[in-house]
């Protein structure tokens, strides 16, 4: 019985509401129901953000400096390589350079391979990791794939020179670890490369 | 007795449900009775809109920070959309201090005279933390309300409130919801390392979501906007990870030897297309998340990467250098029907299938630098969109398909830019609190629901 009167009451309220209220008010009602949920959700997100904001900014400033210096150092190392000197940085092995979007070994890299193979034969207990790199042009994804092809090309070439394949592993960093920071052909030429890191 | 109670409550519920459906229908009809902006028109006519100051109901005669901010957010959204010509405030002749009249009573003559076709009136009440904003869109000539909304929440959610209303305004005038309440994922090296960040579409509310001091790449939204796929070198190798945005919880999804890169969620969210090189060469695979079964899609000597799903999930466009240079190809999701889509340019990459399925955006090297191009999904009608200085790469569509976000080096350091899908209205996104480094790999979120 009670429930029935509830229905009647509710119906009357709804009808009265509908007749009396203009569309404007109905919209408001509708809108408020719609927006209650998201507002709650977002406020918790906002709180989290506020908490994290400060340490994030601090972290930025500390980390920026070494990276700049590191890439400067590496850029210098690359220049030295081009002159034919052997640097500590590349593990006594010379960097191999590539043409844009290519992973084939250039003719002018033959002498580099001869020297590298010679050194690897003298130091037969050393294992190395070949790192493939690209310039910044193109997608990060395609460049990681390209960097892997470059590292594999170098590996195959060294194997042809008689180096045991079990001493040679590969990884690609794509365009993610440039030695030269510029957005120009000069930098790109230096960044399309294969480097060597002594693993053991 | 209890049974009967239940039944009655059910009836009340049903009754109210039908009433509300009826009301919603009424409102919808009202909103779509007239097409104000035809989004398919070749040269979009901009609708003249007037946005007077948002009134502070507690102190109607004073200007306030909140009032200025609310109007700024609204005008930025509507200006960004490319649909509106926002009439300069100096031209308004309505007396802003007319406080004796209720805000609903508008003298539409004041707005007709300055040729405003639509008008947004707003008011707010703010205390320490809480904010209530009421915003209304009017048709000036028909003198009627098109949209009215009230938002109640924390002051810190002010931007979200206005974005939601701007979405409603665009929906009322074009028939399709706006994208002002969406977000972007992007990469920034501001911390010294490439980390993944999330922000509002306009660069506000920036939040760093990876902090592993490694290299993080290719962030991708799940179709429900709740999770992110990305490749990270944090364990030394490029492995694929999946992170839940709300909790920051993550799992390693794929860690085969070699590459685990370029992952993209299928439209259903049940599969992930990606590039693996575990068999010696970068090939496309589809990983079924339920059971983690792998299906190989391509089998050739070339690089196959950067897949993008058609919205129906039947096809994938991707990049392959099987023809000697990187070009865009398409393949059915069962591995059949391989076809080449691009033939010009010596480098075509980063395909992005549009949300409506009709277009594919991509990056092409033309005259020595990358620009954003768009073509029909069958490869026809290839058209250059973004040009100018620097390289323009990494296109990603807004969920309504009206805009494209991309990375560009036009201002020397790489930043993220947004343009309309016809290449007009290009502008840089200024990320709040990121004043350094380079911002790349932007990815536009799907429409986000309350649970994001």
């Amino acid at each position: 019985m009670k429930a029935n009167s509830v229905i009647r009451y509710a119906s009357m309220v709804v009808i009265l509401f509908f007749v009396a209220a203009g569309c404007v008010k109905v919209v408001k009602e509708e809108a408020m129901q719609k927006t209650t949920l998201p507002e709650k959700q977002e406020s918790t997100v906002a709180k989290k953000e506020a908490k994290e904001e400060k340490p994030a900014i601090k972290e930025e400033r500390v980390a920026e400096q070494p990276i700049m210096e590191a890439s400067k150092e590496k850029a210098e190392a690359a220049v030295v390589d081009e002159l034919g000197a052997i640097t500590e940085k590349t593990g006594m092995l010379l960097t191999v350079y590539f043409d844009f979007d290519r992973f084939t070994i250039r003719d002018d890299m033959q002498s580099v391979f001869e020297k590298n193979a010679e050194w690897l034969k003298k130091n037969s207990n050393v294992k190395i990791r070949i790192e493939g790199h690209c310039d910044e042009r193109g997608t990060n994804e395609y460049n990681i794939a390209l960097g892997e092809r470059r590292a594999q090309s170098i590996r195959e070439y060294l194997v042809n020179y008689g180096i045991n394949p079990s001493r040679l592993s590969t990884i690609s960093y794509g365009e993610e670890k440039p030695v030269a920071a510029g957005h120009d052909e000069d930098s790109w030429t230096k960044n399309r490369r294969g480097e060597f890191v002594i693993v053991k | 007795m209890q049974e009967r109670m239940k039944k009655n409550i059910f009836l009340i519920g049903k009754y109210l449900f039908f009433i509300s459906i009826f009301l919603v229908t009424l409102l919808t009809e009202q909103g779509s009775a007239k097409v104000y902006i035809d989004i398919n028109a070749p040269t979009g006519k901009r609708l003249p809109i007037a946005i007077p100051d948002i009134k502070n109901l507690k102190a109607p005669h004073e200007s306030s920070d909140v009032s200025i901010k609310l109007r700024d957010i609204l005008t930025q959204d509507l200006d960004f959309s490319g649909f509106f010509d926002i009439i300069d405030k100096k031209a308004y002749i309505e007396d802003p201090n007319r406080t004796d009249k209720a805000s609903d009573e508008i003298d539409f003559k004041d707005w007709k005279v300055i040729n405003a076709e639509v008008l947004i009136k707003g008011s707010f009440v703010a205390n320490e933390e809480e904010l209530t904003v009421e915003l209304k869109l009017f048709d000036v000539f028909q003198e009627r309300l098109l949209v009215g909304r009230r938002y109640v929440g924390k002051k810190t959610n002010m931007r979200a409130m206005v974005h939601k209303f701007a979405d409603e305004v665009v929906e009322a005038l074009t028939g399709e919801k706006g994208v002002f309440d969406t977000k972007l994922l992007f990469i920034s090296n501001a911390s010294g390392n490439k980390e993944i960040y999330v922000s509002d579409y306009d660069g506000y509310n920036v939040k760093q979501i990876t902090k592993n001091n490694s290299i993080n790449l290719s962030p991708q939204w799940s179709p429900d906007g709740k999770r992110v796929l990305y490749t990270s070198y944090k364990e030394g190798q490029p492995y694929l990870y999946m992170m839940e945005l709300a909790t920051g919880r993550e799992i390693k999804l794929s860690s085969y030897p070699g590459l685990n890169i370029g992952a993209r969620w299928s439209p259903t969210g049940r599969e992930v297309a990606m590039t693996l090189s575990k068999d010696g060469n970068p090939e496309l695979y589809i990983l079924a998340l339920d059971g983690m079964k792998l299906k190989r899609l391509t089998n050739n000597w070339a690089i196959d990467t950067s897949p993008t799903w058609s919205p129906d999930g039947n096809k994938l466009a991707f990049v392959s250098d099987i023809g000697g240079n990187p070009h865009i190809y398409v393949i059915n999701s069962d591995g059949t029907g391989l076809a080449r889509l691009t033939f010009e340019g010596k480098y075509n990459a980063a395909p992005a299938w549009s949300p409506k399925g009709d277009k594919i955006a991509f990056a092409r090297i033309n005259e020595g630098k990358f620009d954003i191009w768009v073509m029909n999904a069958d490869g026809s009608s290839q058209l250059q969109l973004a040009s100018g200085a620097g390289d323009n790469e990494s296109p990603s569509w807004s969920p309504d398909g009206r805009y494209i976000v991309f990375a560009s080096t036009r201002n020397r350091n790489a930043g993220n830019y947004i343009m309309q899908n016809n290449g007009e209205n290009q502008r840089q996104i200024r990320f709040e609190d990121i004043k350094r480094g380079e911002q790349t790999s932007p990815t536009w979120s799907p429409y986000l629901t309350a649970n994001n």
Side-chain angles (χ1 to χ4, degrees):
Chain A
M1 270 296 126
K2 256 187 184 172
N4 253 339
S5 55
V6 169
I7 288 190
R8 235 174 265 145
Y9 181 67
S11 317
M12 272 176 65
V13 168
V14 168
I15 289 163
L16 271 177
F17 169 78
F18 183 54
V19 171
C23 262
V24 180
K25 281 198 176 148
V26 175
V27 178
K28 281 184 202 162
E29 198 75 22
E30 176 73 12
M32 282 164 71
Q33 277 175 359
K34 261 193 190 167
T35 53
T36 328
L37 264 177
E39 248 61 68
K40 254 189 193 166
Q41 194 63 33
E42 275 157 30
S43 65
T44 55
V45 174
K47 260 187 198 164
K48 262 190 216 162
E49 275 176 9
K51 269 185 200 165
E52 284 166 14
E53 226 167 326
K54 271 210 168 169
I57 291 168
K58 268 186 189 163
E59 209 172 73
E60 263 174 34
R61 296 195 177 159
V62 178
E64 180 80 3
Q65 206 48 35
I67 266 283
M68 301 267 277
E69 276 167 14
S71 66
K72 222 187 274 170
E73 259 174 54
K74 272 197 176 177
E76 279 158 18
V79 175
V80 177
D81 285 342
E82 277 172 334
L83 297 174
I86 289 171
T87 66
E88 198 77 41
K89 195 96 194 159
T90 51
M92 305 300 173
L93 292 159
L94 296 175
T95 299
V96 179
Y97 295 95
F98 293 87
D99 285 335
F100 176 64
D101 190 35
R102 290 288 169 263
F103 54 86
T104 45
I105 302 299
R106 280 177 2 203
D107 289 346
D108 64 335
M109 289 293 130
Q110 296 290 350
S111 61
V112 171
F113 272 95
E114 279 162 23
K115 281 178 192 156
N116 284 350
E118 201 181 316
W119 189 88
L120 282 168
K121 280 175 185 169
K122 271 186 201 157
N123 301 275
S124 58
N125 59 334
V126 170
K127 284 191 174 179
I128 60 163
R129 184 172 70 233
I130 306 161
E131 298 182 344
H133 298 274
C134 304
D135 70 35
E136 62 176 350
R137 289 170 304 161
T139 59
N140 307 72
E141 290 167 0
Y142 184 85
N143 280 335
I144 290 183
L146 181 62
E148 188 182 64
R149 305 297 303 258
R150 285 179 177 165
Q152 283 168 351
S153 286
I154 294 171
R155 186 171 184 268
E156 279 167 34
Y157 228 75
L158 288 173
V159 171
N160 286 342
Y161 270 98
I163 308 300
N164 187 340
S166 67
R167 294 171 61 195
L168 310 169
S169 63
T170 59
I171 188 168
S172 171
Y173 289 107
E175 62 180 87
E176 310 307 329
K177 291 190 168 185
V179 288
H183 301 300
D184 48 45
E185 188 52 51
D186 204 42
S187 302
W188 297 332
T189 307
K190 288 175 187 149
N191 290 334
R192 297 188 296 260
R193 70 202 193 279
E195 285 182 357
F196 303 91
V197 173
I198 293 172
V199 181
K200 197 172 84 173
Chain B
M1 194 62 197
Q2 218 181 359
E3 230 6 68
R4 197 168 160 176
M5 257 310 242
K6 262 190 198 163
K7 201 177 161 194
N8 285 331
I9 287 166
F10 172 73
L11 280 174
I12 297 172
K14 208 165 135 187
Y15 190 35
L16 287 175
F17 175 73
F18 280 119
I19 292 266
S20 63
I21 287 281
F22 176 59
L23 292 182
V24 168
T25 313
L26 257 184
L27 294 173
T28 319
E29 275 174 7
Q30 202 183 28
S32 62
K34 180 178 162 189
V35 176
Y36 293 83
I37 300 163
D38 181 5
I39 51 170
N40 297 315
T43 46
K45 178 201 145 212
R46 286 168 186 253
L47 192 69
I49 187 169
I51 310 173
D53 286 332
I54 313 291
K55 202 170 273 178
N56 182 355
L57 292 182
K58 274 189 176 169
H61 298 284
E62 290 166 28
S63 75
S64 76
D65 278 1
V66 175
S67 168
I68 293 165
K69 267 189 203 160
L70 286 167
R71 188 178 182 277
D72 281 353
I73 302 164
L74 189 59
T75 53
Q76 278 160 21
D77 279 353
L78 297 181
D79 181 44
F80 162 83
S81 75
F83 294 138
F84 300 96
D85 173 18
I86 297 162
I87 301 169
D88 194 329
K89 252 166 66 175
K90 288 186 203 114
Y92 302 172
I93 55 170
E94 184 200 57
D95 177 8
N97 295 326
R98 243 176 26 158
T99 50
D100 47 324
K101 288 189 176 183
S103 64
D104 284 15
E105 288 176 48
I106 297 161
D107 195 346
F108 285 102
K109 277 200 300 274
D110 288 349
W111 302 104
K112 281 175 195 165
V113 166
I114 62 163
N115 294 320
E117 289 188 33
V118 285
L119 164 72
I120 293 175
K121 283 270 206 173
S123 59
F124 72 94
V125 176
N127 52 38
E128 284 286 290
E129 288 196 345
E130 293 278 320
L131 177 67
T132 304
V133 185
E134 202 172 278
L135 293 161
K136 291 170 188 168
L137 171 73
F138 297 94
D139 179 320
V140 171
F141 288 88
Q142 296 186 5
E143 302 193 1
R144 73 191 177 100
L145 178 81
L146 299 176
V147 180
R149 290 286 185 275
R150 182 188 300 153
Y151 302 93
V152 183
K154 292 256 186 290
K155 246 185 189 168
T156 47
N157 290 326
M158 184 194 297
R159 299 196 70 85
M161 294 180 192
V162 180
H163 288 326
K164 282 176 201 298
F165 182 71
D167 278 346
E168 301 277 355
V169 169
V170 167
E171 184 167 13
L173 301 178
T174 70
E176 223 176 306
K177 199 180 161 188
V179 292
F180 308 115
D181 199 24
T182 57
K183 291 179 184 290
L184 302 172
L185 283 168
F186 63 98
I187 306 262
S188 173
N189 63 359
S191 69
N193 295 292
K194 277 195 167 183
E195 303 278 8
I196 298 169
Y197 293 71
V198 64
S199 79
D200 291 353
Y201 96 96
D202 56 6
Y204 284 83
N205 290 319
V206 172
K207 189 181 165 195
Q208 185 177 343
I209 63 170
T210 61
K211 285 175 187 166
N212 54 41
N213 303 321
S214 171
I215 302 163
N216 300 285
L217 299 167
S218 307
Q220 294 290 326
W221 295 94
S222 62
D224 62 6
K226 291 177 185 169
R227 289 162 295 163
V228 176
L229 272 181
Y230 69 101
T231 290
S232 176
Y233 280 80
K234 63 181 177 175
E235 292 176 68
Q237 303 287 329
Y239 293 152
L240 179 68
Y241 301 85
M242 179 170 78
M243 184 193 282
E244 197 178 59
L245 275 172
T247 60
R249 245 193 355 236
E250 65 175 5
I251 58 164
K252 188 161 47 179
L253 217 51
S254 175
S255 53
Y256 289 100
L259 311 177
N260 300 263
I261 62 166
R264 308 283 191 278
W265 248 293
S266 71
T268 62
R270 289 198 290 267
E271 296 158 309
V272 165
M274 62 188 298
T275 295
L276 301 173
S277 63
K278 66 187 181 68
D279 299 321
N281 151 290
E283 304 282 2
L284 285 184
Y285 293 79
I286 291 178
L287 174 68
L289 294 179
D290 181 20
M292 302 300 275
K293 251 197 186 153
L294 267 185
K295 182 173 81 185
R296 185 164 170 173
L297 271 194
T298 59
N299 198 342
N300 58 51
W301 61 269
I303 293 170
D304 300 308
T305 190
S306 301
T308 174
W309 295 79
S310 63
D312 62 10
N314 292 333
K315 291 180 174 186
L316 295 116
F318 65 101
V319 179
S320 176
D321 70 339
I322 192 164
N325 298 318
H327 277 282
I328 315 285
Y329 291 75
V330 68
I331 195 167
N332 295 329
S333 54
D334 63 4
T336 64
L338 180 71
R340 183 169 168 176
L341 295 184
T342 62
F343 293 88
E344 284 165 52
K346 71 168 182 175
Y347 199 120
N348 295 266
W353 214 305
S354 74
K356 293 197 169 72
D358 55 338
K359 304 275 182 190
I360 295 173
F362 60 102
R364 163 179 288 172
I365 285 192
N366 194 33
E367 290 165 6
K369 60 185 212 58
F370 272 100
D371 283 311
I372 308 292
W373 288 63
V374 70
M375 61 184 164
N376 290 335
D378 63 2
S380 63
S381 302
Q382 301 189 1
L383 190 74
Q384 184 174 339
L385 292 184
S387 56
D391 285 308
N392 301 292
E393 296 181 47
S394 309
S396 169
W397 297 83
S398 60
D400 61 356
R402 285 169 177 162
Y403 310 95
I404 293 173
V405 64
F406 60 100
S408 174
T409 57
R410 62 183 62 181
N411 289 329
R412 193 159 175 79
N413 282 338
N416 291 341
Y417 293 74
I418 291 184
M419 63 181 168
Q420 284 168 232
N421 63 10
N422 60 2
E424 284 174 16
N425 215 359
Q426 299 188 17
R427 52 182 78 189
Q428 186 171 7
I429 306 164
R430 307 281 174 192
F431 290 104
E432 195 183 23
D433 301 331
I434 298 186
K435 302 279 179 261
R436 62 172 70 215
E438 298 200 298
Q439 280 63 250
T440 52
S441 303
T443 316
W444 213 312
S445 77
Y447 285 118
L448 300 171
T449 59
N451 299 324
N452 294 113

